[in-house]
Amino acid sequence: MRTRHAGATVLAALTALTLAACGGGDVGGGADDDTASDGGGGGGGDSITIGIKFDQPGLGYQDGDTYTGFDVDVATYVADKLGYSADQIDWVESPSAQRETMLQTGQADMIFATYSITDERKETVAFAGPYFVAGQDLLVAEDNTDITGPEALEGKNLCSVTGSTSAQRIKDEYSEGVELVERPGYAECVTALVAGQVDAVTTDDIILAGLAAQPSNKGKVKVVGAPFSTERYGVGLSQDNDMCEDVNSAIEEMIEDGSWEEAVTTNTDGTGYTPNSSENPPTVDACA
């Protein structure tokens, strides 16, 4: 990520030199200017690369060149407070299994991808936030009355996304005999559920609500509605970042000015989902 101020300083210096050499003639620019962004952003070529999910309706979802969802809205708000307009954001897909690597290798400056803050992950990446607190739940077939919680999954097939900790937690803490099935994305898990290939899908309640609300899934699946964990969504950053405090300030401002609540309502409308009021809006942690 290049800062806007640095780009502006370089541009000003080049302008002054050109004017001096050409006697005040027109200044050349565009693609030959050293400040042009590889990502094509505005503002002197500055851009910021933000990782999101591309397959989570209501959170992070790609439809052509359009990106929507709560994570997208929070990321856009934070980027604006950091000095980047919406057209200066380069969105990149951040699958669960690749998030740490993307931050460590500089493929993303920030990641807003239903990224739960855990001590294990803090060993390799840093977090700002949390900006939302979800709860792990189950998605089952609409006519399923047997699965009422994680304890009822003994001998059942449970689907989650590769790299997620959700399914393993159920096996470790609730149903040792559950059979774990991994798919690359939650949409694939729901497809398997509708086809009868798995008995349940697990992840955070807000993700499941978004999946259940999709036209192709309506009337076929339902959220059990008995969350059994606390998932604190953080903003993933590299460990050597210099943005954490500014990101936290932006999240707090979003909560205070009402934009956070508006984003939650807009992205869960019609799903029947209500965030846990005792946890949301969340209290932002101090940067380590």
Side-chain angles (χ1 to χ4, degrees):
M1 181 181 67
R2 285 171 279 186
T3 63
R4 186 182 302 227
H5 300 300
T9 300
V10 172
L11 182 58
L14 290 173
T15 302
L17 288 172
T18 305
L19 287 173
C22 301
D26 292 339
V27 179
D32 293 332
D33 194 320
D34 288 342
T35 63
S37 168
D38 294 337
D46 299 334
S47 65
I48 186 168
T49 303
I50 299 179
I52 58 170
K53 294 293 182 65
F54 280 9
D55 63 345
Q56 290 182 352
L59 285 150
Y61 190 73
Q62 179 194 34
D63 183 7
D65 293 330
T66 302
Y67 302 89
T68 58
F70 179 69
D71 283 352
V72 173
D73 289 345
V74 177
T76 302
Y77 187 101
V78 170
D80 179 71
K81 295 302 177 181
L82 295 178
Y84 296 90
S85 60
D87 61 3
Q88 290 176 293
I89 299 174
D90 294 328
W91 302 106
V92 294
E93 186 173 15
S94 299
S96 295
Q98 299 176 23
R99 291 176 297 200
E100 286 80 19
T101 300
M102 293 180 70
L103 290 170
Q104 291 173 320
T105 59
Q107 297 175 62
D109 296 311
M110 303 188 292
I111 290 182
F112 294 74
T114 58
Y115 202 178
S116 296
I117 301 171
T118 67
D119 289 339
E120 181 180 359
R121 287 170 176 162
K122 284 182 179 180
E123 294 178 4
T124 54
V125 299
F127 287 98
Y131 63 90
F132 190 81
V133 180
Q136 187 176 344
D137 210 325
L138 300 170
L139 189 72
V140 298
E142 176 64 33
D143 60 357
N144 188 307
T145 58
D146 297 328
I147 299 176
T148 56
E151 299 88 350
L153 289 171
E154 283 289 334
K156 305 292 187 182
N157 293 322
L158 175 65
C159 189
S160 191
V161 170
T162 304
S164 172
T165 60
S166 301
Q168 188 62 47
R169 176 181 290 133
I170 290 177
K171 189 175 183 68
D172 292 342
E173 300 179 11
Y174 296 96
S175 294
E176 184 179 354
V178 67
E179 295 294 330
L180 303 185
V181 179
E182 291 189 339
R183 291 290 185 270
Y186 290 108
E188 289 87 348
C189 273
V190 178
T191 298
L193 176 62
V194 172
Q197 298 169 354
V198 299
D199 300 294
V201 178
T202 190
T203 187
D204 304 340
D205 50 7
I206 189 172
I207 299 174
L208 297 176
L211 291 165
Q214 293 303 291
S216 60
N217 298 330
K218 282 187 175 180
K220 300 177 182 179
V221 296
K222 64 182 179 182
V223 180
V224 170
F228 49 91
S229 75
T230 298
E231 306 296 332
R232 303 167 69 246
Y233 290 170
V235 183
L237 303 167
S238 65
Q239 287 192 325
D240 61 351
N241 80 90
D242 59 0
M243 296 187 293
C244 184
E245 296 290 353
D246 291 335
V247 173
N248 275 350
S249 295
I251 294 170
E252 290 173 338
E253 186 171 346
M254 186 178 189
I255 292 170
E256 291 169 1
D257 70 15
S259 300
W260 181 93
E261 184 175 0
E262 180 180 354
V264 172
T265 301
T266 299
N267 288 292
T268 61
D269 185 45
T271 67
Y273 171 74
T274 302
N276 186 332
S277 60
S278 66
E279 301 282 354
N280 289 294
T283 299
V284 175
D285 297 339
C287 294

